[in-house]
Amino acid sequence: FTIELTNELKKAHIPFVVISNEDNFEEIAKEYKYPFYIKAEPHTDLAMKKSHLSSAKGVITLSPNIADNIAMISSVRLFENELGRIPYYIMSIADKSVDVEKLLKLGANEVINPNKLMAKRATAIAKDHKIKNLLEEFLYSDTNINLEELKVPKKSWILFKKLKESHLRDLTSCSVVAIKSKNGKFIPIPKDSVILKPGDVLLVVGTSKDMRKMRKLIRSKEKPKELDFI
């Protein structure tokens, strides 16, 4: 999992540090060209300080041993509280449903069950093998297409405008494919008449370059001048 993950992170230009205490870890790190790595017990204070966890956005803990993932999640949450910083995003894995629930209760934001994920993938392929690679090609290939959740700020210029009136696609070439409202309502493929409200989370598809434009546009308090020419 770690080797495949680091390959994808490098392709996406996402900085990371790999920490492991495996006996042959340094050989693995050099063979797969990890840019930064530390041979240590991941959940220790020394490892977290050496990896500059204080400036990181999150942690992915992928140990096959559930106890190691528990120790990592607990240690990161304690470290987070000591720093008084915004919460880290923590992702982990577990083979059993009971362990998935346990890690979520301990503070993980996302816990993936590889067995269920594989079963869902196999079922999707069985239903329609012609489109089996569509999502993978769209999101994970070298086409540089991203799928992101962008929250509408309280003072954004797009507030209380219809999706059509905001002209987000015209201004950024990004597409809003779904909206999750503050009350939890999920709107797939929203209509142009949907009104954008504070706290709405927009599920947006676009290239990395266009996504930067979209983030800046949504966070702006002032209506863009380009809108006058659309």
Side-chain angles (χ1 to χ4, degrees):
F1 288 149
T2 304
I3 291 167
E4 292 297 331
L5 176 62
T6 55
N7 286 336
E8 294 301 322
L9 290 174
K10 283 187 284 187
K11 287 180 185 177
H13 304 290
I14 298 173
F16 62 89
V17 181
V18 183
I19 308 170
S20 176
N21 199 33
E22 292 181 89
D23 293 335
N24 61 338
F25 177 60
E26 289 191 40
E27 295 175 16
I28 295 172
K30 290 176 181 177
E31 180 180 354
Y32 292 99
K33 296 180 173 60
Y34 295 166
F36 303 103
Y37 63 91
I38 299 169
K39 189 177 187 303
E41 285 290 350
H43 66 273
T44 61
D45 284 343
L46 181 61
M48 289 190 279
K49 288 176 181 177
K50 277 188 174 182
S51 63
H52 294 279
L53 180 61
S54 58
S55 61
K57 290 185 177 181
V59 172
I60 302 174
T61 174
L62 299 174
S63 175
N65 186 343
I66 187 68
D68 291 339
N69 291 328
I70 289 173
M72 192 68 214
I73 293 168
S74 302
S75 299
V76 170
R77 290 304 182 206
L78 285 172
F79 188 74
E80 169 190 292
N81 289 334
E82 288 174 4
L83 293 177
R85 55 156 286 161
I86 59 173
Y88 290 106
Y89 187 88
I90 302 178
M91 183 185 294
S92 188
I93 60 170
D95 289 329
K96 300 176 182 177
S97 296
V98 64
D99 290 335
V100 171
E101 292 299 322
K102 188 181 295 182
L103 294 180
L104 288 171
K105 288 178 181 178
L106 284 169
N109 298 93
E110 181 81 21
V111 182
I112 297 170
N113 184 324
N115 297 329
K116 282 192 174 182
L117 200 62
M118 179 60 197
K120 288 180 179 180
R121 175 64 185 249
T123 303
I125 293 172
K127 286 181 178 179
D128 190 347
H129 66 277
K130 294 179 182 178
I131 60 167
K132 67 176 183 178
N133 293 319
L134 180 60
L135 184 61
E136 188 172 290
E137 288 293 325
F138 185 59
L139 295 178
Y140 307 119
S141 67
D142 295 328
T143 54
N144 201 26
I145 296 293
N146 291 340
L147 180 66
E148 288 190 25
E149 288 186 341
L150 302 178
K151 189 174 182 180
V152 179
K154 292 181 179 178
K155 295 184 179 180
S156 174
W157 70 274
I158 66 173
L159 286 179
F160 306 112
K161 285 183 169 56
K162 293 179 180 179
L163 184 59
K164 183 179 181 179
E165 295 172 340
S166 67
H167 292 281
L168 295 177
R169 180 171 175 74
D170 296 321
L171 293 167
T172 67
S173 297
C174 291
S175 297
V176 177
V177 296
I179 298 176
K180 184 165 60 177
S181 64
K182 196 174 182 180
N183 61 13
K185 183 180 179 182
F186 186 77
I187 307 172
I189 317 299
K191 296 180 179 179
D192 290 340
S193 58
V194 170
I195 295 175
L196 302 169
K197 297 180 287 298
D200 279 352
V201 176
L202 311 182
L203 191 61
V204 182
V205 172
T207 65
S208 298
K209 181 180 179 181
D210 292 334
M211 200 66 76
R212 286 194 290 271
K213 293 180 186 176
M214 179 67 100
R215 291 192 210 102
K216 185 177 180 181
L217 187 65
I218 290 176
R219 292 169 184 166
S220 176
K221 297 178 183 178
E222 298 180 6
K223 185 180 76 171
K225 293 180 181 179
E226 299 92 320
L227 205 60
D228 295 334
F229 304 98
I230 295 177

